Amino acid sequence: MTLDQARKRHAELVREIRMHDHAYYVEARPKISDREYDRLFQELLDLERQFPELVTPDSPSQRVGGQPLEGFRRIRHRVPMLSLEKVRPADHPTRAEEPDDALRKQRQDQNTLNELRSWDLNLRKQLRLDRLEYVMEPKVDGVSISVHYEKGRFVLGVTRGDGTTGDDITANLRTIRSIPLALQIQDPPAHLEVRGEAYMALKDFEALNRQLESAGEEPFPNARNATAGTLKLLDPRLVAQRPLRAVFYGIGHCEGIEFRTHAEVLQSLRRFGLPTQPEWWLCRDMDHLLEIYRREVVADYREEKDLRARLPYEIDGVVIKVNDMTLWPRIPAKARAPGYAIVHKPIHWIEPAETVLKAITVQVGRTGVLTPVAELEPVFVQGSTISRATLHNEDEIRRKDIRIGDTVVIRKAGMVIPEVVEVVKSKRPAGTRPFDLFEHVGGRCPACGGPIAREPVSTGEGQEVAWRCQNVAGCPAQKVRRLEFFTQRKALDIEGIGGIVAEKLIESGLVDEPLDLFELKTEDLARLNLGTEEAPRVFGEKNARKVREALERARTLPLGRWLFALGIPNVGEVTAHDIASFHEDLESVARSPLLQGVVRLEELAREAEAVNPHSRKNPPRTEAERRRRTEQYEALRQEAERIGRELIEAGFARPAARSGEGGFPACVTKVGPVAARSVLEFFASPAGKRVLQRLKTLKIHPRGARTAVSGGPLAGKTLVLTGTLSSWTREEASELIRQAGGHVAGSVSKNTDYVVAGESPGSKLDKARALGVPVLDEAAFRKLLVEAGVLKDSAQTTGQRYGGGSAQPELF
Ligand code: AMP
Ligand code: ZN
């Protein structure tokens, strides 16, 4: 594709994605499927990876996350972010006293509702009013955020923190697509701070956990926890991969705009294009509120219709606010909470449920890890019927002493994947035995009957010991999971090969490993029976054709996607793309000197530690030993330094910023030693060699985002262009930089290596000076290009311009 074609397509994609974002997140009326949306977005990303000069600050891709941060800046809230007062939960009778479930809940709730009445009465007395209007809205169980718009532009995002000061999480919040980067107001106010919650929708959270689990990582205990953890990540690129959303319910500091009532705030925010809650109620008075509460919130205490079942996110109560904001300053605040609002939590929303653990089944993941799952007597907990719960791992079962036949307490308060909280020991039947996973599965993998072993596995949080099926190549469960991983959206995006289809493909023997897909006959796929022998249900002609098309598309996806799809241990999406951007193809990854350098550096550090003459743990005992160790240490250090320099020169590492960072010697590599080793080991293994061989046979050659040029003054460097150059257009200059192995970025940061300044440069030059980034004028830039070998020599090319954007610059 030429740059001109790329630019046109890019503009189209940007327009479409913006339109779909609004339709999806704000209108909640999507116009295309998630799958189609993802395809558009991936196309945009792939395009920008190939043509970095197309990246503008307000491209939707900028939501995909910028450079990692060192830490969060602290921001003082101009208007404190307070807590909310809760209605005191009243004592409630035990369940035995009231056989009718709905009636019992109503009784329990009644006491707290009476508290609401007296709250209203008190307020009216203080304000000397007969009647007070209220707004009642769901209390979102997410993580509080504050977002600032200046002249309608998103400029700052902050956490609640301690209420007075929070963390600047702007880079992370920018990745949330439901937060508009620009407000839809004709004449935007000078300043508008909106407040709301970041959250993960229940189905997104479940999918995230499934994905973490299939990647062999630890799932999050609940959506709130996953949200909070994600917002605290220092790498916005990781944040961008998590399905965060936001909803807004209030305002903070404002200039140039005023609101009279809370209802007006909610309506205005929505009009400005900000997502607000789908349900909230303006109530004439407290009686009216309680009537709505009974009908809409708790649905007369029949859980199926309860408000929680209607919302896509978790809520843990309702917030009741005085509607007239002009009254707010007249209502005295509590210590950490305003006086004009109160939270009510229906008592049965916080109640855990009890049920019987009928059995424990064991699932086999992609990497063979065995995960125990509780099979429960079905029980209705907070909006849905639960019949399974995760037990995490064997250690967790031991710690809680969970046994088959036990009565267990299940909780979902804030948890989507229900958890077994504890065992009701008093209800334990006679004859139960402590759970032993090895014994439970008869010492064999429940999927393939193969041997199992207890070994360390890496999870999101580090290492953990788990039982694992050893039959990597033959276990059908592992094959199915690998196939699902390979075809998932972020990998090769082959729609239709998931769940039952993957299972049947493996079971029928049509597919044994993911690459078999490319040799699968469309007729065979169409005939695949997804049902049983008695009740057959075939995959079908049309679906098979769609898969075929997706496979065709997959053949030309960039290297990063392929590297990720292979499911190499410890290689997540970000790592895969990082590696891809420094390599030409899979072969060059397989024998990458960069990755070898990273691995060698770690070995050297270990060896050096062992002979360190200044070691406190193991000091030299004799003078001779000290001398010998000093020599050895010095030799190792020199080798490490040489490798470090090479990696830094190639742009694959940077010098450590602080002492102690990066270890021995002080350099921080783009990809860590665990991932680097894992990649090299994979391609050296028979399985990895087979993959390379087969791709060759299949004529699939995934390409790196650019051709890596090793060595040269611009290799691996990040450059920013500003002003007009006399010899080249921006595009031509960018192309030359790419040919020299460098990157072109759109804005200056401390990760910028050079700023190239032409005639009448813009603010980027000031920024470069402020950050101490070296600035090149045209002559200096030309000199580097010549040194890099992409330009002949200055005399010959002076004044000579390349043709249109699509023409190749003059290269050797
Ligand atoms: P708490 O932290 O439990 O005292 O509750 C106060 C927090 O509830 C606020 O800081 C908000 O972040 C959050 N919250 C959730 N939903 C709402 C809502 N609809 N209105 C106001 N605050 C809300
Ligand atoms: Zn197995």
Side-chain angles (χ1 to χ4, degrees):
M1 186 183 286
T2 68
L3 186 61
D4 271 350
Q5 289 167 327
R7 172 167 298 125
K8 234 164 101 204
R9 181 67 189 141
H10 186 265
E12 271 166 30
L13 286 169
V14 167
R15 213 174 29 247
E16 271 185 64
I17 290 169
R18 282 212 190 117
M19 187 263 288
H20 290 306
D21 277 346
H22 189 261
Y24 187 95
Y25 292 108
V26 183
E27 303 291 333
R29 245 180 262 127
K31 295 194 169 74
I32 54 173
S33 71
D34 287 6
R35 196 92 188 189
E36 287 166 306
Y37 177 90
D38 283 359
R39 202 165 288 145
L40 289 176
F41 208 87
Q42 275 302 343
E43 193 185 338
L44 181 84
L45 293 185
D46 290 346
L47 202 59
E48 292 186 351
R49 279 192 189 112
Q50 259 152 1
F51 299 94
E53 59 270 51
L54 296 181
V55 184
T56 53
D58 55 356
S59 159
S61 70
Q62 293 314 90
R63 298 202 186 265
V64 173
Q67 290 296 325
L69 312 169
E70 302 265 330
F72 296 118
R73 203 160 51 111
R74 305 282 293 159
I75 302 281
R76 218 184 154 76
H77 297 295
R78 293 232 216 149
V79 181
M81 291 181 81
L82 299 174
S83 189
L84 290 172
E85 210 203 344
K86 288 160 201 76
V87 182
R88 266 176 293 121
D91 286 343
H92 53 280
T94 59
R95 50 181 68 198
E97 290 171 30
E98 182 52 75
D100 179 337
D101 204 38
L103 214 58
R104 174 176 60 84
K105 287 172 184 153
Q106 188 173 351
R107 291 254 168 89
Q108 291 176 359
D109 207 16
Q110 198 53 51
N111 290 331
T112 18
L113 292 177
N114 288 340
E115 296 287 325
L116 274 183
R117 284 189 192 283
S118 53
W119 180 69
D120 167 57
L121 197 68
N122 262 332
L123 277 181
R124 284 188 288 119
K125 242 195 248 159
Q126 276 172 17
L127 297 166
R128 297 172 199 282
L129 288 170
D130 293 339
R131 192 170 68 80
L132 266 178
E133 266 185 4
Y134 294 103
V135 167
M136 174 164 64
E137 57 193 285
K139 182 169 188 291
V140 188
D141 192 16
V143 175
S144 317
I145 53 170
S146 142
V147 175
H148 295 251
Y149 288 90
E150 255 165 31
K151 288 238 155 281
R153 300 247 150 232
F154 175 175
V155 291
L156 178 68
V158 191
T159 62
R160 176 158 109 180
D162 61 6
T164 318
T165 337
D167 287 330
D168 177 349
I169 51 165
T170 310
N172 289 348
L173 292 184
R174 280 183 80 86
T175 70
I176 304 182
R177 294 193 204 141
S178 55
I179 304 181
L181 297 179
L183 295 179
Q184 295 172 359
I185 320 182
Q186 280 298 338
D187 189 16
H191 200 112
L192 174 63
E193 177 194 352
V194 291
R195 290 184 174 176
E197 301 277 299
Y199 68 91
M200 276 185 206
L202 298 180
K203 60 174 177 32
D204 292 340
F205 168 67
E206 282 167 358
L208 171 66
N209 264 355
R210 273 197 304 274
Q211 190 190 327
L212 288 175
E213 279 178 325
S214 70
E217 288 177 38
E218 189 70 13
F220 285 104
N222 60 56
R224 215 197 85 80
N225 191 288
T227 305
T230 302
L231 288 178
K232 274 192 246 135
L233 291 172
L234 285 170
D235 189 345
R237 290 175 303 180
L238 296 178
V239 179
Q241 292 175 29
R242 298 270 175 85
L244 287 181
R245 295 181 187 222
V247 65
F248 295 92
Y249 48 69
I251 51 165
H253 174 74
C254 294
E255 281 166 38
I257 188 162
E258 267 180 52
F259 301 96
R260 224 183 31 79
T261 68
H262 182 59
E264 187 190 325
V265 168
L266 294 179
Q267 282 154 352
S268 306
L269 295 188
R270 171 146 185 120
R271 220 178 39 245
F272 298 165
L274 289 155
T276 52
Q277 304 209 63
E279 294 191 52
W280 55 273
W281 300 269
L282 176 57
C283 314
R284 287 189 302 277
D285 53 24
M286 189 49 80
D287 279 337
H288 186 210
L289 185 145
L290 291 176
E291 190 191 314
I292 296 177
Y293 169 81
R294 246 175 247 119
R295 199 177 59 231
E296 304 284 338
V297 178
V298 292
D300 296 323
Y301 302 94
R302 290 177 325 227
E303 298 234 10
E304 305 74 34
K305 298 218 171 139
D306 161 311
L307 174 62
R308 289 170 304 168
R310 297 201 297 274
L311 294 173
Y313 42 78
E314 309 239 11
I315 60 174
D316 61 348
V318 285
V319 186
I320 295 153
K321 296 172 187 166
V322 172
N323 186 38
D324 186 344
M325 293 169 77
T326 60
L327 296 173
W328 290 9
R330 290 173 50 200
I331 307 171
K334 300 279 155 29
R336 307 254 349 118
Y340 58 81
I342 197 159
V343 173
H344 170 73
K345 301 191 180 198
I347 196 86
H348 61 286
W349 282 16
I350 25 187
E351 196 176 51
E354 272 182 27
T355 189
V356 173
L357 176 67
K358 291 191 304 188
I360 294 179
T361 49
V362 174
Q363 288 180 346
V364 185
R366 178 171 60 90
T367 55
V369 173
L370 307 190
T371 305
V373 176
E375 305 290 339
L376 306 165
E377 197 63 64
V379 58
F380 195 85
V381 198
Q382 294 149 24
S384 58
T385 302
I386 301 304
S387 55
R388 308 184 91 191
T390 173
L391 291 167
H392 301 295
N393 54 46
E394 188 176 25
D395 293 344
E396 177 92 357
I397 299 180
R398 290 249 171 83
R399 198 169 58 241
K400 293 179 178 164
D401 188 19
I402 297 167
R403 306 181 183 190
I404 297 168
D406 267 340
T407 294
V408 291
V409 178
I410 304 297
R411 195 181 38 204
K412 239 188 93 190
M415 328 246 160
V416 179
I417 297 197
E419 268 204 318
V420 174
V421 184
E422 59 182 359
V423 170
V424 186
K425 291 267 168 69
S426 62
K427 296 191 182 169
R428 173 168 284 169
T432 61
R433 286 193 302 143
F435 182 75
D436 182 309
L437 199 140
F438 186 83
E439 193 188 290
H440 188 69
V441 296
R444 294 169 178 289
C445 167
C448 69
I452 60 173
R454 215 167 136 81
E455 27 174 76
V457 293
S458 51
T459 67
E461 263 113 64
Q463 294 272 309
E464 185 184 288
V465 175
W467 287 101
R468 211 165 177 172
C469 164
Q470 302 295 295
N471 180 14
V472 178
C475 179
Q478 293 186 53
K479 288 185 197 173
V480 170
R481 300 278 108 76
R482 281 198 294 266
L483 186 57
E484 285 176 338
F485 188 87
F486 186 79
T487 55
Q488 65 173 307
R489 291 182 199 190
K490 290 175 167 186
L492 297 186
D493 190 17
I494 297 157
E495 189 172 4
I497 309 286
I500 182 81
V501 181
E503 271 168 41
K504 293 290 180 183
L505 279 173
I506 298 291
E507 195 191 294
S508 65
L510 279 174
V511 169
D512 195 55
E513 52 182 47
L515 286 178
D516 293 342
L517 282 176
F518 290 92
E519 279 171 343
L520 189 59
K521 291 205 187 67
T522 314
E523 312 88 84
D524 287 344
L525 181 58
R527 277 201 298 271
L528 180 69
N529 182 7
L530 304 180
T532 57
E533 260 175 56
E534 304 80 59
R537 182 168 67 84
V538 297
F539 188 60
E541 197 69 39
K542 198 164 142 236
N543 286 332
R545 252 200 327 273
K546 269 201 200 148
V547 169
R548 169 79 21 226
E549 282 160 21
L551 285 165
E552 276 316 303
R553 252 197 317 270
R555 297 178 75 96
T556 58
L557 286 176
L559 182 61
R561 299 272 290 272
W562 274 89
L563 200 51
F564 175 60
L566 295 179
I568 301 168
N570 306 300
V571 179
E573 206 194 354
V574 171
T575 304
H577 284 292
D578 277 348
I579 294 176
S581 67
F582 282 87
H583 296 85
E584 231 173 307
D585 50 22
L586 283 174
E587 270 86 15
S588 60
V589 174
R591 50 181 159 69
S592 164
L594 297 176
L595 297 179
Q596 284 167 11
V598 174
V599 171
R600 181 70 188 135
L601 270 187
E602 195 208 30
E603 285 167 8
L604 288 169
R606 226 170 339 149
E607 287 168 26
E609 198 35 54
V611 299
N612 186 352
H614 304 295
S615 166
R616 288 223 191 106
K617 263 198 293 190
N618 161 33
R621 269 158 304 167
T622 63
E623 178 57 21
E625 188 190 342
R626 195 189 61 75
R627 240 180 291 128
R628 182 175 49 78
R629 279 170 54 171
T630 306
E631 257 170 46
Q632 287 171 334
Y633 186 85
E634 185 52 25
L636 294 168
R637 199 187 57 75
Q638 281 182 13
E639 184 183 351
E641 219 154 65
R642 182 181 56 73
I643 295 175
R645 253 198 323 273
E646 280 169 14
L647 292 176
I648 290 170
E649 235 163 59
F652 204 63
R654 61 172 171 82
R658 296 170 260 122
S659 64
E661 189 189 52
F664 169 93
C667 105
V668 183
T669 55
K670 194 112 193 160
V671 168
V674 177
R677 178 172 288 118
S678 194
V679 170
L680 294 173
E681 277 173 5
F682 173 78
F683 287 111
S685 74
K689 284 188 182 142
R690 209 173 50 241
V691 166
L692 291 178
Q693 188 50 49
R694 282 202 76 185
L695 286 174
K696 233 187 239 152
T697 324
L698 291 167
K699 297 199 163 52
I700 297 173
H701 303 288
R703 288 310 209 163
R706 73 190 165 80
T707 309
V709 173
S710 51
L714 294 178
K717 297 280 192 279
T718 301
L719 284 78
V720 173
L721 299 167
T722 179
T724 322
L725 296 168
S726 68
S727 311
W728 313 281
T729 64
R730 276 275 165 98
E731 289 74 48
E732 289 160 357
S734 303
E735 181 62 30
L736 285 167
I737 291 168
R738 269 206 306 280
Q739 297 291 346
H743 307 271
V744 183
S747 62
V748 182
S749 74
K750 61 182 184 345
N751 297 302
T752 310
D753 292 297
Y754 296 111
V755 166
V756 179
E759 281 299 310
S760 43
S763 63
K764 289 175 194 167
L765 183 59
D766 303 331
K767 180 111 190 258
R769 295 227 167 94
L771 290 172
V773 174
V775 176
L776 302 174
D777 62 12
E778 188 163 335
F781 177 51
R782 172 186 304 278
K783 203 161 150 253
L784 289 183
L785 290 173
V786 171
E787 272 172 44
V790 296
L791 270 193
K792 291 184 182 170
D793 69 45
S794 15
Q796 270 183 304
T797 44
T798 302
Q800 186 180 313
R801 298 191 57 131
Y802 301 115
S806 58
Q808 279 291 310
E810 244 174 279
L811 309 167
F812 287 153

